[in-house]
Amino acid sequence: MKNRLNGDIAEINAALEKYMGVPNEPQKTIYEAMRYSLFAGGKRLRPVLMLETAKMLGGDADVVMPFACAMEMIHTYSLIHDDLPAMDNDDYRRGRLTCHKKYGEAIAILAGDALLNRAFEITSSAGAGDPALLLRAVSMLAQSSGARGMIGGQVIDIESEMRPITLQELEYLQLLKTGAIIRSSCTVGALLSGGSEEDVAAVDEFAKNLGRAFQIRDDILDRIGSDEELGKPTGSDEAEGKTTFVSMLGIEKSEELVAEYSKKAAEALSRFGERADFLKWLADYLVSRRS
Amino acid sequence: MKNRLNGDIAEINAALEKYMGVPNEPQKTIYEAMRYSLFAGGKRLRPVLMLETAKMLGGDADVVMPFACAMEMIHTYSLIHDDLPAMDNDDYRRGRLTCHKKYGEAIAILAGDALLNRAFEITSSAGAGDPALLLRAVSMLAQSSGARGMIGGQVIDIESEMRPITLQELEYLQLLKTGAIIRSSCTVGALLSGGSEEDVAAVDEFAKNLGRAFQIRDDILDRIGSDEELGKPTGSDEAEGKTTFVSMLGIEKSEELVAEYSKKAAEALSRFGERADFLKWLADYLVSRRS
């Protein structure tokens, strides 16, 4: 299973490489800044989820790959903008200088913009696949990353730093901020692979619960992990006064929730039988990670 | 002609209004910030160009309108990000506080992101039109606003503040920064209206030259205009040490260039005969404006 995961990641990195050349143009700094953050050692969780959802449904990798890469670009742009001084003001991510510390704020803002833009460029120019389905997939992707999806979550996150929030608000925030594009990674993969409405709904339920478990695990790691393992100072969320699942519920209850959501995620895939084995393993692997 | 222009603008504003509701959601600040900048009194130049190019070619307004609105959203997002402290650091635009002065930097960054995202959301979800053609139009739009288009121009603009640039470099910079989406406004309009390759090439030539004339006129107005007319302090480009066509060539030579590019723009439309009358008038109107 681990080999298969590494194989997926290698395929994704090769495809990203193909989409992210550095043409010898006067504006080449922007390509370098985009690459700097895109190839900073990310886990490629979202594109792996999309590829594997597609494999489970017998989809065509050529059709799905541009969308898988787009998802990673969108995730990366959101990290670049989140790290900016006006947002989280982080100097390091994954043990390396953040984009704005390396290239300056102006270029970092534009590198984020350009990655978001590039995501839509490659998905609309892909060529392989039925145009009507591709267009629907672009729409799904855009909805999940916009004001009613990821960006909406970021906004609530910023505003929640100024006042205490409830558990319900925290859940809604994370459902959008981290959940929305994890969900669309799976639903776009299913849609592009000819999945039925029921298939799409099932992988959405899987992804929703996986996203929840994944985020709570992140909060737990932020509290207990070591600096080296995460590549950023731990306890940083709480030091910044952020409400997390751990600060609200404690470690023990948070661990229980991780287990509960993981179980629900696996159950959502029951209709796919053995074909879902890898996704189930992956979900387990992700929520039991130590870094 | 002026009435027709105002009619177009009213239609565009109504369509933008439709796409930019403020749902009663916890993240509603983002919708407000997006609207604040989108309805700040822009000239709607790009969507008007798209609508009128489509009309010239007998296109369907329902198909084109989402793209016209998307173009205005992309233009607006670029202004929001350009105004940020890390970029041009402008407190006012069109006589009103800039987005970050009104909502704070974090929300302004996200409002820009969300407008770019929304542009792709509405163009991929529009419904009306042939999916293959719509997908190509999304791709054209994305290419023009990305690293090889508008964003590329912004990057060169930033880097050019640190060293003197040549006339040739300035032309390339503006061809991307302001030219790219003016061109795609026209080419997308032509493509979606069933224009032939030759039609698309002709409106591209028109838009390229119009964009040049428009930008040089902007530089001239920055030098000679009054504060009130432009809604921002004039001479600000030069005060910031920016190289402009005027700082490089002087007013007289710049005026000559405006006339030359305007002529080329009009000539490019000759194949369309009388159907091009409005676009020709519009080009004239834009490049002879006093504010």
Side-chain angles (χ1 to χ4, degrees):
Chain A
M1 294 285 191
K2 192 72 199 285
N3 282 344
R4 178 162 164 181
L5 173 60
N6 288 333
D8 285 349
I9 293 172
E11 270 181 54
I12 291 158
N13 285 335
L16 284 171
E17 192 63 59
K18 195 187 73 183
Y19 286 124
M20 290 297 306
V22 180
N24 188 20
E25 290 167 354
Q27 68 268 35
K28 71 170 190 284
T29 312
I30 191 77
Y31 302 113
E32 290 165 2
M34 291 161 82
R35 287 183 62 92
Y36 177 80
S37 292
L38 197 57
F39 295 102
K43 291 182 289 286
R44 311 303 190 208
L45 161 64
R46 291 151 195 84
V48 166
L49 281 172
M50 194 186 297
L51 279 191
E52 287 293 344
T53 303
K55 279 186 197 170
M56 181 175 76
L57 288 159
D60 180 346
D62 285 347
V63 175
V64 175
M65 191 57 97
F67 286 83
C69 289
M71 217 44 108
E72 189 67 12
M73 291 177 189
I74 289 175
H75 173 59
T76 303
Y77 115 76
S78 77
L79 299 181
I80 294 175
H81 283 188
D82 261 349
D83 287 338
L84 288 168
M87 310 268 280
D88 286 351
N89 194 20
D90 281 321
D91 291 353
Y92 289 92
R93 175 174 290 278
R94 295 174 190 139
R96 299 207 311 165
L97 287 174
T98 46
C99 193
H100 67 274
K101 293 304 283 185
K102 176 85 177 174
Y103 289 95
E105 265 186 78
I107 295 295
I109 292 167
L110 292 171
D113 294 346
L115 281 167
L116 175 58
N117 198 94
R118 185 85 180 127
F120 291 106
E121 202 177 337
I122 65 175
T123 47
S124 59
S125 317
D130 167 40
L133 212 53
L134 293 170
L135 206 56
R136 271 185 63 198
V138 173
S139 167
M140 253 185 185
L141 189 151
Q143 281 178 42
S144 69
S145 53
R148 302 194 98 149
M150 183 182 70
I151 295 175
Q154 290 172 294
V155 170
I156 303 172
D157 197 21
I158 288 164
E159 297 193 328
S160 74
E161 282 168 41
M162 305 167 205
R163 58 176 184 83
I165 59 171
T166 66
L167 181 61
Q168 203 185 359
E169 287 172 314
L170 180 63
E171 279 170 351
Y172 179 78
L173 181 173
Q174 291 298 358
L175 192 66
L176 297 187
K177 190 181 175 190
T178 59
I181 72 167
I182 288 178
R183 288 169 75 177
S184 65
S185 294
C186 293
T187 52
V188 165
L191 179 79
L192 288 175
S193 306
S196 66
E197 257 182 63
E198 291 77 15
D199 291 337
V200 173
V203 301
D204 187 40
E205 183 66 16
F206 161 72
K208 189 166 83 177
N209 285 294
L210 170 61
R212 285 170 166 155
F214 185 79
Q215 181 57 45
I216 301 173
R217 166 64 59 206
D218 225 42
D219 287 354
I220 294 172
L221 289 172
D222 185 73
R223 169 78 73 90
I224 65 171
S226 77
D227 283 21
E228 267 165 89
E229 278 175 346
L230 278 175
K232 64 173 182 178
T234 51
S236 58
D237 290 343
E238 289 180 55
E240 286 161 16
K242 283 201 179 183
T243 309
T244 73
F245 287 99
V246 173
S247 72
M248 207 167 258
L249 301 169
I251 293 271
E252 199 176 334
K253 177 72 186 153
S254 296
E255 291 278 11
E256 279 172 36
L257 274 180
V258 170
E260 187 190 317
Y261 287 132
S262 302
K263 188 157 168 279
K264 279 190 187 168
E267 283 167 3
L269 297 179
S270 61
R271 64 187 275 116
F272 304 109
E274 284 180 11
R275 287 181 295 153
D277 283 354
F278 183 80
L279 276 185
K280 285 184 189 169
W281 170 83
L282 181 65
D284 237 37
Y285 174 79
L286 289 170
V287 300
S288 52
R289 76 204 147 94
R290 294 277 142 237
S291 67
Chain B
M1 295 285 191
K2 193 73 199 288
N3 282 345
R4 178 159 162 184
L5 173 60
N6 288 332
D8 286 349
I9 293 173
E11 270 182 53
I12 291 158
N13 285 336
L16 284 172
E17 192 62 60
K18 195 187 72 183
Y19 287 124
M20 292 297 306
V22 180
N24 188 21
E25 291 166 354
Q27 68 269 35
K28 71 171 191 284
T29 312
I30 191 76
Y31 303 111
E32 290 165 2
M34 291 162 82
R35 288 183 61 93
Y36 177 79
S37 292
L38 197 57
F39 295 102
K43 291 182 289 289
R44 311 304 191 208
L45 162 63
R46 292 151 195 83
V48 166
L49 282 171
M50 194 186 295
L51 279 192
E52 287 293 344
T53 303
K55 278 186 198 169
M56 181 175 75
L57 288 159
D60 180 346
D62 284 348
V63 174
V64 174
M65 191 56 99
F67 286 84
C69 290
M71 217 44 107
E72 189 67 12
M73 290 177 190
I74 289 175
H75 173 59
T76 303
Y77 115 77
S78 77
L79 299 181
I80 295 176
H81 283 189
D82 260 350
D83 286 339
L84 288 168
M87 310 269 278
D88 285 351
N89 195 22
D90 281 319
D91 291 354
Y92 289 91
R93 174 174 291 278
R94 295 173 189 139
R96 299 206 313 164
L97 286 174
T98 46
C99 193
H100 66 274
K101 293 304 284 185
K102 176 85 177 174
Y103 289 95
E105 266 185 76
I107 295 295
I109 292 167
L110 292 171
D113 294 346
L115 281 167
L116 174 59
N117 198 94
R118 184 86 179 129
F120 291 106
E121 202 178 338
I122 65 174
T123 48
S124 59
S125 316
D130 167 39
L133 211 55
L134 293 170
L135 206 56
R136 273 185 61 200
V138 173
S139 167
M140 254 185 184
L141 188 149
Q143 281 179 42
S144 69
S145 54
R148 302 194 97 151
M150 182 182 70
I151 295 175
Q154 291 172 293
V155 170
I156 303 172
D157 197 20
I158 288 165
E159 297 193 328
S160 74
E161 282 169 41
M162 305 167 204
R163 58 176 183 82
I165 59 171
T166 65
L167 181 60
Q168 204 186 358
E169 287 173 313
L170 179 62
E171 279 169 350
Y172 179 79
L173 182 173
Q174 292 297 357
L175 191 66
L176 297 188
K177 190 182 174 189
T178 59
I181 71 167
I182 288 179
R183 287 169 75 176
S184 66
S185 294
C186 293
T187 53
V188 165
L191 180 79
L192 288 175
S193 307
S196 67
E197 257 182 63
E198 291 77 16
D199 291 338
V200 173
V203 300
D204 188 39
E205 183 66 16
F206 161 72
K208 191 167 80 177
N209 285 294
L210 169 61
R212 283 169 166 155
F214 185 78
Q215 181 57 46
I216 301 173
R217 166 65 58 208
D218 225 41
D219 288 355
I220 295 171
L221 289 173
D222 185 72
R223 170 77 74 88
I224 65 170
S226 77
D227 282 19
E228 264 167 273
E229 278 176 347
L230 278 173
K232 64 173 182 179
T234 52
S236 59
D237 290 344
E238 291 179 53
E240 287 160 15
K242 283 200 178 181
T243 309
T244 73
F245 287 98
V246 173
S247 72
M248 207 168 258
L249 302 170
I251 293 272
E252 199 177 333
K253 177 72 185 150
S254 296
E255 291 277 11
E256 278 172 36
L257 273 179
V258 169
E260 187 190 318
Y261 287 133
S262 301
K263 189 156 166 278
K264 280 190 186 168
E267 282 167 4
L269 297 179
S270 61
R271 65 186 278 116
F272 304 109
E274 285 181 10
R275 285 181 296 153
D277 282 354
F278 183 79
L279 276 185
K280 285 184 189 169
W281 171 83
L282 181 64
D284 237 38
Y285 174 78
L286 289 170
V287 300
S288 52
R289 75 205 147 93
R290 296 273 143 238
S291 67

